[in-house]
Amino acid sequence: STVELAKDFCRRVGYPCLIRPSYVLSGAAMKVVFSDADLQRFLIVACQVSPDHPVVISKFVEGAKEIEVDAVARDGQILNYAIAEHVENAGVHSGDATLILPAQKLFVETVRRVKKISRQIAKELRISGPFNIQLLAKDNDVKVIEANVRASRTFPFVSKTLKVDFIELATKVMVGAHVQPASISLLD
């Protein structure tokens, strides 16, 4: 909520850092800063940071891939999922990114870790319905950016690409109807 607090945080985690006004829903006004001078200029000119207009700051991992998981779970158990990768490296807002499904350039170990994290989140939150997870990966180190217990903008894309109606499956789960996981083949 102040320039000094922002500087303290960035120095503690190390530059570069990703800065985003907390009141902006998209990637508008999002910026990667590399120094105190960059940070101060951005916060004062672009954001007008204050207690009324705080910013979200996170460590920026250069050269990392962004990955999205769209899934449907019942009672914390994943029924169906899709793993997509962003064409652009991390730092481009997911709403502006180009997706590839199925993912093409992820290490097998990265995919294994993404699946494990997804199962853990579904189980811990006892999800019944749709959810989306955005993750960051570099050299098989996988971190969760955010998890949303709702259908994301990519659900229709995933449904059409995989020929499985994730929305219908999620709706049936949420109303308590009996459902079976759909058979998905990524080789067709």
Side-chain angles (χ1 to χ4, degrees):
S1 56
T2 70
V3 174
E4 283 312 310
L5 286 173
K7 282 182 185 177
D8 289 346
F9 176 82
C10 291
R11 289 174 187 152
R12 191 170 63 248
V13 300
Y15 286 99
C17 288
L18 182 68
I19 316 298
R20 182 173 57 88
S22 62
Y23 51 87
V24 174
L25 294 177
S26 68
M30 190 168 78
K31 182 161 178 65
V32 177
V33 296
F34 294 88
S35 67
D36 282 354
D38 281 353
L39 177 66
Q40 183 156 345
R41 189 171 30 259
F42 180 70
L43 292 178
I44 292 171
V45 175
C47 296
Q48 298 177 345
V49 65
S50 72
D52 292 332
H53 299 285
V55 295
V56 175
I57 304 175
S58 54
K59 172 71 178 149
F60 181 73
V61 180
E62 293 181 278
K65 271 245 182 247
E66 191 163 334
I67 302 163
E68 289 203 38
V69 174
D70 285 305
V72 177
R74 180 181 52 220
D75 300 322
Q77 298 295 313
I78 294 177
L79 298 174
N80 282 111
Y81 67 91
I83 299 173
E85 68 180 306
H86 290 201
V87 170
E88 305 84 0
N89 278 345
V92 174
H93 187 269
S94 61
D96 299 323
T98 306
L99 292 176
I100 298 175
L101 177 69
Q104 300 292 305
K105 294 184 178 181
L106 298 180
F107 296 123
V108 171
E109 180 61 18
T110 296
V111 172
R112 189 186 73 71
R113 291 177 185 188
V114 165
K115 288 178 182 180
K116 181 179 180 185
I117 290 166
S118 300
R119 285 191 304 269
Q120 289 172 323
I121 289 172
K123 182 179 178 182
E124 289 299 316
L125 297 178
R126 294 186 211 115
I127 297 173
S128 283
F131 68 102
N132 169 271
I133 306 171
Q134 295 171 25
L135 307 106
L136 190 71
K138 184 174 181 180
D139 301 327
N140 288 325
D141 182 25
V142 180
K143 298 178 184 332
V144 174
I145 298 170
E146 64 182 49
N148 298 291
V149 184
R150 59 168 171 77
S152 71
R153 69 179 179 86
T154 50
F155 257 59
F157 168 70
V158 166
S159 295
K160 288 178 184 178
T161 303
L162 298 180
K163 298 180 178 93
V164 172
D165 192 339
F166 275 50
I167 302 297
E168 180 180 8
L169 183 65
T171 302
K172 286 181 177 180
V173 167
M174 290 187 299
V175 299
H178 178 72
V179 294
Q180 291 292 327
S183 176
I184 297 176
S185 173
L186 299 180
L187 302 176
D188 291 341

